[in-house]
Amino acid sequence: MPRFSWMLLCLFVLVMPAHADEVVYPPGSRIGLVPPRGLHASASFPGFEDRDKAVAVLLGALPPDAYAELEKSDSAEGLKKLGATLEKRELLNLPTGKAVLVIGRQDKQHTWMLVAAMPDLTAMVTLRIPDTAKDVYSDSVVRAMFASLAVRPEVPIEEQLGLLPFRLGELAGFKIGGVLPGRGVLLTDAAGGTAIEPHIIIALMPGAAAEAADRDDIARQIFRSIPNLKDVRITGSESIRMSGQQGHEIMASAKDPATGAELSLVQWLRFGSGAYLHVVGMAPTPAWTQAYARFRSVRDGIEAR
């Protein structure tokens, strides 16, 4: 499907109201559920909220083996750490598998915590309901919501990219290796034929505006923070222009500490008034020429949101 058509389709889906019994996945989350009327996907955390009634549902994903540990844990002690007291603990059988439900109380608020075993993860759902909202979010409504818990195989690529504080206009054949919402993304090859595959990391870092005389020092300091390298040698360092803004480039060589393989890497910094765009591309030296051209394509396609 052409990119423009795909974007229109995504927009169409976003503006259409969900069907009453449709599972909703908050942006970037593999875990979803059917939210009761009044709850909407939050823009500030992975979950749902009803701001008018101060109700919040937080979704989290843990490793698959976490369920067994949490099932055996002391629920009363766990709630005590949150400042709440235990009212009820139940073992449930959801459509997705086994689950533990813990209900606690703190002042004039109830806390529901559901831990559920899913096929390849452990889902944790935390719900906070003030007493003033119990008439709307009754026990039966909450239990029906928990029973609708679902998991999707993966988060769509366009949705993952939508969580970034910048736009990627060009992936240059790379695949998404991971996204840190609001901060950055790892793009990588999945060929697996070398000790380290070509990959590029793009992140937005907080930082004050830098004077021209300080940019080289700042770039070198940030470069030294790149982990998992040995025998690092900077081969070039210079000021450049990136998308019409002041930037800096460092070229270097290094070795993979695990295998001793020769690596080449580049760091680009684009300076802003309150943040730096930090881009690091790395590849085995024999594959560097082709990888560097792809890194530049990705870099030149980055746009501010």
Side-chain angles (χ1 to χ4, degrees):
M1 180 183 293
R3 181 175 176 83
F4 181 70
S5 299
W6 172 250
M7 293 176 65
L8 286 179
L9 177 60
C10 289
L11 179 62
F12 180 66
V13 170
L14 287 172
V15 300
M16 283 189 64
H19 191 268
D21 58 356
E22 182 180 344
V23 174
V24 177
Y25 295 92
S29 174
R30 286 186 58 203
I31 302 169
L33 47 76
V34 179
R37 185 181 299 275
L39 279 177
H40 305 280
S42 173
S44 55
F45 62 85
F48 302 86
E49 60 183 338
D50 180 341
R51 292 192 176 184
D52 293 339
K53 292 183 168 53
V55 175
V57 180
L58 181 65
L59 304 180
L62 301 173
D65 54 1
Y67 176 80
E69 293 298 319
L70 292 168
E71 187 181 37
K72 294 183 296 185
S73 64
D74 187 334
S75 301
E77 185 63 27
L79 284 171
K80 185 178 179 180
K81 293 178 180 179
L82 298 176
T85 56
L86 177 67
E87 287 192 338
K88 187 181 295 186
R89 184 182 192 275
E90 301 178 33
L91 296 179
L92 305 178
N93 285 311
L94 301 179
T96 52
K98 297 190 299 181
V100 177
L101 173 63
V102 177
I103 305 174
R105 182 171 180 81
Q106 179 184 12
D107 298 329
K108 297 181 179 181
Q109 176 178 265
H110 275 86
T111 298
W112 296 60
M113 297 178 64
L114 182 77
V115 179
M118 311 291 272
D120 61 347
L121 57 82
T122 297
M124 177 172 283
V125 185
T126 304
L127 166 66
R128 296 185 183 276
I129 309 176
D131 289 347
T132 53
K134 286 291 290 181
D135 57 332
V136 176
Y137 299 97
S138 63
D139 287 6
S140 60
V141 168
V142 172
R143 289 177 181 275
M145 177 181 69
F146 285 156
S148 71
L149 193 67
V151 63
R152 53 182 171 176
E154 60 183 6
V155 179
I157 290 177
E158 292 294 333
E159 186 175 314
Q160 294 184 57
L161 296 179
L163 300 174
L164 298 174
F166 44 79
R167 295 185 181 89
L168 295 180
E170 176 60 62
L171 297 182
F174 288 110
K175 298 177 176 61
I176 296 177
V179 172
L180 184 60
R183 287 292 303 276
V185 61
L186 165 67
L187 303 179
T188 182
D189 278 338
T194 57
I196 291 185
E197 302 162 1
H199 63 276
I200 181 169
I201 300 171
I202 306 107
L204 200 64
M205 302 173 56
E211 298 294 333
D214 299 329
R215 289 172 188 154
D216 184 78
D217 286 341
I218 292 172
R220 289 174 182 267
Q221 290 175 19
I222 294 174
F223 179 81
R224 285 194 289 269
S225 69
I226 299 174
N228 301 323
L229 296 172
K230 75 173 186 177
D231 298 340
V232 179
R233 185 171 67 90
I234 293 177
T235 57
S237 180
E238 63 177 330
S239 296
I240 61 171
R241 298 284 293 180
M242 293 173 59
S243 300
Q245 292 181 271
Q246 294 296 326
H248 195 279
E249 176 184 85
I250 287 180
M251 304 288 289
S253 63
K255 290 184 179 179
D256 176 13
T259 66
E262 297 286 343
L263 304 173
S264 295
L265 59 155
V266 60
Q267 171 186 275
W268 290 300
L269 279 185
R270 190 171 75 191
F271 298 97
S273 57
Y276 306 146
L277 181 69
H278 186 212
V279 182
V280 176
M282 187 182 308
T285 298
W288 176 249
T289 301
Q290 184 178 13
Y292 178 73
R294 296 168 66 199
F295 295 155
R296 283 184 58 110
S297 294
V298 173
R299 182 201 72 182
D300 294 342
I302 300 172
E303 300 176 357
R305 286 194 182 276

